[in-house]
Amino acid sequence: MKEQLETIKQEALGRIVSADELKELQDIKVAYLGKKGSLTGVLRGMGKLSKEERPIIGELANEVRETITTALEEKGQKLEELALEKQLEEEAIDVTLPGRPVNVGGEHLLTKIVEEIEDLFIGMGYEVREGPEVETDYYNFEALNLPKGHPARDMQDTFYVTNELLMRTHTSPVQARTMKEFDGDQSVKMICPGKVYRRDTDDATHSHQFTQIEGLYVGKDVRMSDLKGTLDQFAKKMFGKDREIRLRPSFFPFTEPSVEMDISCKVCNGQGCSVCKGTGWIEILGAGMIHPNVLEMAGYDPKVYTGFAFGMGPERIAMLKYGVNDIRQFYTNDKRFLKQYHNA
Ligand code: 2NL
């Protein structure tokens, strides 16, 4: 029996040494120490031994069991460590590898200009208002002194949705709506940026959809000199404190009198060059004193209230400020174009 135990021990240890998976160790444990294992089998036969032999064999059997158990545990630990090491090696991240570039977006040049203009007027006490892009004929035309059949409607012919609904041709309806909301007895100071639509053939300077920012100030005692001072501030803050402005007579159906504002050319400082086509001046926006008919339709008494309004195209402002030569650059979203202005 001693030899039997010795054989079992050697055989088990041999198998443990050559095992290279945890599963194998489990099998070895079952094969030797399990209920039907060979060591257990030997111990069952101890009943046949004499009283003198029994404790000796018992002690030996215990020792064999302990040796096998310890060897299994040690090998088990070693295999687990090896497995962990292998996993760590396989899943290792090389922190020295260069990272994949992340595409960071930026503000669109047009958004930037619009927000710059907004901030400038907010600083002068104006509030920013928005309104619907699909408008009624009434707010887009009639309320702005452009009754049905008025010849000036032809200049801004547009996309009609129905006979009475259309894509707005300017942001003025937002102002007409706001004045109406203020009920004819409060002053209004607002600007309204937004998309507008006109039936136009796209080229370097025209687009069927573009952006407009209009401003309006209605109050008691608002005068042409207020308009001039406001526009002068705007021009200097937007294009530099050395810019001069000039107002030329013009016509809009919704203002009387109407003006067009130019700024002195930055390139030649008013001397005349190719940018200003030799005139020394560059046209920036249109403006005027709000027509009494427009005030009246919005519920204001033109004998008590007066006001001025102005309108400009941020695309044109951006083109002048940054030397963009084609309005379509704003809408085609070529990243090579857009990226140039991310830190401008
Ligand atoms: C331009 C000229 C202008 C207005 C817009 C306006 C609005 C109301 C009443 C009176 Cl509610 N006027 N807006 C006035 C003058 C000129 O725009 O060249 N825009 C690009």
Side-chain angles (χ1 to χ4, degrees), residues 75 95 162 301 344:
K75 183 72 189 226
V95 293
T162 68
D301 181 353

Side-chain angles (χ1 to χ4, degrees), residues 144 172 175-176 179 212 214 216 252 254-255 260 285-288 290 294 309-313:
L144 293 158
S172 322
Q175 299 181 305
M179 282 192 282
Q212 200 181 26
E214 279 185 85
L216 166 138
F252 300 107
F254 25 83
T255 45
E260 219 110 28
L285 53 79
I290 301 170
V294 174
F310 54 86
M312 66 186 108

Side-chain angles (χ1 to χ4, degrees), residues 18 22 36 74 76 78 90 102 135 139 147 152 172 190 252 269 303 339:
S18 57
L22 285 165
K36 290 174 187 163
E74 277 171 5
K78 206 168 161 191
E90 277 170 4
V102 176
E135 258 300 354
Y139 277 115
S172 322
M190 63 173 292
F252 300 107
N269 222 355
K303 289 194 190 75
K339 265 162 79 175

Side-chain angles (χ1 to χ4, degrees), residues 139 143-144 170-177 179 190 192 198 210-216 218 251-260 283-291 294-295 298 307-314:
Y139 277 115
L144 293 158
H170 41 201
T171 52
S172 322
V174 183
Q175 299 181 305
R177 284 171 179 279
M179 282 192 282
M190 63 173 292
C192 48
R198 292 192 189 177
F210 58 101
T211 318
Q212 200 181 26
I213 298 184
E214 279 185 85
L216 166 138
V218 176
F251 172 80
F252 300 107
F254 25 83
T255 45
E256 183 58 37
S258 304
V259 294
E260 219 110 28
E283 190 186 318
I284 295 290
L285 53 79
M289 299 308 290
I290 301 170
H291 197 289
V294 174
L295 285 169
F308 64 71
F310 54 86
M312 66 186 108

